[in-house]
Amino acid sequence: MMFRPLPFNPPSGARLIESYRVEYEVEGQRISYVVCLMEGEGRGFYYVREPPVEGSSLEELRRLVERAHLLPQRRQLLERPLSTLLSLLRQRGLDHEQGLAYYIARDVVGYGPLEPFLRDQEVEDLSCEGYRRPLRVWHRRFNAHEWLTANLAFERGEELDALVAKMAFRAGRPLSAFLPLLDASLPEGYRISATWGRDISPAGSSFTIRKFRERPYTLTELISLGTLDQALAAYLWALISLKAFLIIAGPTASGKTTLLNALATALHPNWKVVTIEDTRELLLPHEGWKSLTTRPSPFDKAAVDLEKLVYQALRERPDYIILGETRGREASMLFQSAALGHGVMTTFHASTPEGLLARMASPPLSVDRELLRQIDAVAFIARLREGEKVVRRVVGLGGFVGGEWQELYRWTGRHWEAQPAASAKLEEAARRSALSPQEAERMAERRASFLDALLAAKRYGYSSISRELRWFYLREAGG
């Protein structure tokens, strides 16, 4: 599909809801295209309108790229492909037009026809279930129809195979008939899960890409989106400032990692924080942040799994250990970390306290029931439909208080209500840090006031809030 424009043939009767332009730069050259959001017949559509360009110009570009290995400018093509190809096209009498720059950026520099869908910051997830099936898109704002149908489908299995192989190569992971499963991160930070060929997927190769914003969500952004309110955010922030053991639980795509990253950003900027993940998703501003990722290998001795990384992190005297997701034997090591006084945060797939505790105590996690009482709080988050939009919201907060499971915060359907056990949990965490209950309450109040001030000033940005946090902790320490 190299240098082939995407078809733009909306279904008859489809109604345009919104259109917007996406712009980005490659080698100093501005690249842009238009996204059209439509609906009709109970479905939503995400169509990319690419810049116009003469077919003869695209054909000349295709021939030029096919002969690239024979050109004396081979080195320049590797270092600056866009500007070099545009220069060569001008030498052949082709005007420097926006369309040519777009297709070079799309097919030579980027991921081919998938590139415009990846470049749109409003797109969260992409899914392709096989060839001759349309790409599906999850949009941050336009999600009343859930997944949107895109104007991209791979008509031949070989085209889809080539794209999946390209992504695996850029991720630095093997993918073949022998190793047909891929779970990795692309250089841009996107998480890809893919299958290869027809052996395990009759429709051919497939992929799902989860995108993460270049700048993670902040607590004030999540508050403005209704994920939680100032009081609940301040309470969770106070708990983790006391090095609590916090779990964020919920189903797939409910916003667990987003909330985890937002809370982790609020940790003391001078703390040493170690994050452990299979594929890197978390991004922290801390100078003392160390990111560890697993290394899969067909050879047991060469493989580095989550359990080994948690053990390694314990030897580095971290203030906080953050495990991207707990799902195996590493759980016991994580609970021991909490017992040793380290702060711990992680995510977990569970929708209820009963489900969480049952899974934790069962293989392959097999956490001793006595160790389960190390859990200070579990925030349950869910993806809910409200009218014509889908929102992510903390729907409950519970934890062990005095050795018994207690409800700490409750979502009533309209707002969050603190339960009697919330204060007792905060006092319990404060005692471990040799603080009085009054001091712990004041910690939560200061954080609530700080968040109120940021919201009043409409401070949502990741960079600006990181700076404000440093001043907040300095004032709290009396500096």
Side-chain angles (χ1 to χ4, degrees):
M1 297 183 72
M2 182 170 278
F3 308 125
R4 188 189 311 165
L6 293 172
F8 195 90
N9 303 305
S12 60
R15 181 171 65 94
L16 180 67
I17 301 299
E18 180 186 346
S19 66
Y20 57 89
R21 183 172 293 276
V22 176
E23 295 184 346
Y24 62 99
E25 283 194 2
V26 177
E27 297 178 23
Q29 176 76 35
R30 193 184 73 167
I31 309 297
S32 71
Y33 57 93
V34 175
V35 170
C36 297
L37 303 176
M38 297 169 280
E39 64 179 3
E41 300 179 353
R43 292 193 298 163
F45 301 93
Y46 180 106
Y47 273 42
V48 171
R49 186 187 292 275
E50 298 178 300
V53 63
E54 292 290 335
S56 58
S57 298
L58 286 178
E59 187 58 36
E60 179 62 28
L61 174 59
R62 182 181 293 107
R63 286 196 294 266
L64 182 61
V65 171
E66 287 173 351
R67 299 195 306 272
H69 64 289
L70 301 175
L71 298 172
Q73 298 90 347
R74 292 190 300 272
R75 183 168 182 175
Q76 294 94 312
L77 280 168
L78 289 173
E79 295 173 349
R80 296 180 61 83
L82 177 59
S83 56
T84 304
L85 284 171
L86 287 175
S87 176
L88 291 170
L89 287 169
R90 282 195 294 271
Q91 293 173 20
R92 285 161 173 75
L94 289 176
D95 292 332
H96 177 192
E97 52 180 306
Q98 168 68 22
L100 286 175
Y102 169 83
Y103 283 101
I104 296 170
R106 191 193 82 169
D107 291 351
V108 178
V109 180
Y111 292 93
L114 194 64
E115 184 72 2
F117 303 95
L118 289 169
R119 285 285 183 174
D120 186 358
Q121 294 299 310
E122 295 292 334
V123 171
E124 285 190 351
D125 301 298
L126 303 169
S127 180
C128 177
E129 281 72 40
Y131 75 100
R132 294 182 181 172
R133 298 188 182 187
L135 180 75
R136 298 194 302 151
V137 170
W138 184 274
H139 198 271
R140 293 186 195 279
R141 294 181 291 105
F142 185 54
N143 48 40
H145 297 287
E146 304 281 338
W147 289 89
L148 309 180
T149 301
N151 59 328
L152 169 61
F154 299 90
E155 293 303 318
R156 297 188 301 116
E158 293 81 1
E159 295 174 340
L160 181 54
D161 289 347
L163 175 62
V164 173
K166 183 176 187 177
M167 291 191 286
F169 175 77
R170 290 195 176 182
R173 295 288 177 88
L175 186 66
S176 63
F178 179 65
L179 296 170
L181 300 178
L182 174 70
D183 184 16
S185 289
L186 294 171
E188 297 79 6
Y190 312 142
R191 181 170 183 174
I192 178 172
S193 176
T195 65
W196 173 262
R198 298 188 182 185
D199 287 349
I200 59 175
S201 179
S205 297
S206 65
F207 63 84
T208 297
I209 297 175
R210 295 189 62 193
K211 291 178 57 187
F212 299 94
R213 300 200 319 177
E214 293 179 5
R215 293 180 176 84
Y217 280 100
T218 60
L219 282 177
T220 50
E221 281 184 289
L222 295 185
I223 292 169
S224 68
L225 292 171
T227 303
L228 70 176
D229 67 2
Q230 294 95 309
L232 178 54
Y235 182 82
L236 290 170
W237 183 8
L239 279 178
I240 62 175
S241 295
L242 296 168
K243 297 189 177 180
F245 185 173
L246 174 65
I247 297 175
I248 300 170
T252 301
S254 57
K256 298 186 297 296
T257 303
T258 299
L259 178 57
L260 178 70
N261 205 131
L263 287 167
T265 300
L267 291 170
H268 198 296
N270 294 336
W271 277 1
K272 179 171 183 176
V273 181
V274 179
T275 59
I276 300 168
E277 304 169 270
D278 277 321
T279 54
R280 182 173 158 182
E281 299 176 16
L282 299 170
L283 179 63
L284 304 185
H286 300 68
E287 292 179 359
W289 169 45
K290 181 173 183 176
S291 174
L292 299 175
T293 56
T294 58
R295 185 182 68 185
S297 172
F299 308 103
D300 289 341
K301 289 186 177 180
V304 180
D305 60 15
L306 292 172
E307 185 179 21
K308 290 179 180 178
L309 290 178
V310 174
Y311 182 76
Q312 175 67 25
L314 277 173
R315 307 170 84 175
E316 300 187 13
R317 295 182 59 191
D319 293 287
Y320 239 98
I321 295 176
I322 301 176
L323 182 61
E325 180 186 345
T326 299
R327 61 175 181 270
R329 295 180 306 173
E330 68 279 356
S332 293
M333 187 67 67
L334 201 67
F335 276 81
Q336 291 178 40
S337 304
L340 291 171
H342 300 282
V344 172
M345 275 194 282
T346 187
T347 69
F348 195 75
H349 281 274
S351 300
T352 64
E354 296 79 12
L356 181 140
L357 297 175
R359 276 200 63 206
M360 284 282 188
S362 304
L365 287 82
S366 304
V367 178
D368 187 274
R369 291 191 178 273
E370 287 301 313
L371 280 177
L372 289 175
R373 300 181 192 278
Q374 295 286 338
I375 299 173
D376 285 301
V378 181
F380 291 95
I381 189 169
R383 193 171 67 180
L384 307 174
R385 176 171 290 280
E386 291 188 352
E388 292 190 350
K389 64 179 182 178
V390 176
V391 298
R392 292 173 172 90
R393 176 164 292 131
V394 176
V395 294
L397 181 70
F400 282 98
V401 183
E404 298 296 328
W405 183 269
Q406 301 282 342
E407 189 177 27
L408 305 177
Y409 266 80
R410 176 184 300 169
W411 168 249
T412 67
R414 293 190 175 184
H415 60 274
W416 289 268
E417 285 185 353
Q419 302 303 298
S423 295
K425 176 76 265 179
L426 197 59
E427 293 174 13
E428 195 174 272
R431 282 196 297 271
R432 293 200 302 263
S433 298
L435 295 178
S436 68
Q438 295 77 18
E439 288 173 310
E441 289 291 342
R442 285 195 293 271
M443 282 182 65
E445 290 168 2
R446 283 193 297 269
R447 282 154 177 74
S449 298
F450 177 74
L451 292 172
D452 282 335
L454 290 177
L455 289 164
K458 296 183 178 180
R459 303 290 290 274
Y460 305 113
Y462 178 75
S463 299
S464 62
I465 289 179
S466 295
R467 290 193 298 270
E468 293 290 338
L469 276 168
R470 186 168 289 278
W471 284 108
F472 170 83
Y473 280 107
L474 184 64
R475 290 192 297 269
E476 187 171 59

